[in-house]
Amino acid sequence: MKETINNIKRVYKYGKNYKKNLVIFTIISISNIIINIIYPIITAKQLVALSLS
């Protein structure tokens, strides 16, 4: 965990000049993670509903 925090600090230090892009890409990455978690759940629910009818 300490290594992850140190890596984040290094990336932030390097990316200070690109702070806006760093924030945008972070938000996009987190939203993609959320979508990739939710989409299979929704798809599985639809498949179960189709197979039961």
Side-chain angles (χ1 to χ4, degrees):
M1 188 68 175
K2 284 184 180 181
E3 186 176 328
T4 302
I5 293 172
N6 287 335
N7 288 339
I8 290 172
K9 286 179 183 178
R10 276 192 230 143
V11 167
Y12 182 76
K13 192 182 295 183
Y14 174 76
K16 263 189 178 175
N17 299 332
Y18 310 103
K19 188 176 182 177
K20 182 180 176 183
N21 291 341
L22 186 64
V23 170
I24 289 171
F25 286 127
T26 303
I27 291 171
I28 290 171
S29 295
I30 291 172
S31 64
N32 281 338
I33 291 168
I34 292 170
I35 289 170
N36 287 329
I37 290 172
I38 293 175
Y39 182 73
I41 294 171
I42 292 172
T43 306
K45 283 184 180 180
Q46 290 176 346
L47 288 172
V48 168
L50 284 173
S51 65
L52 292 177
S53 54

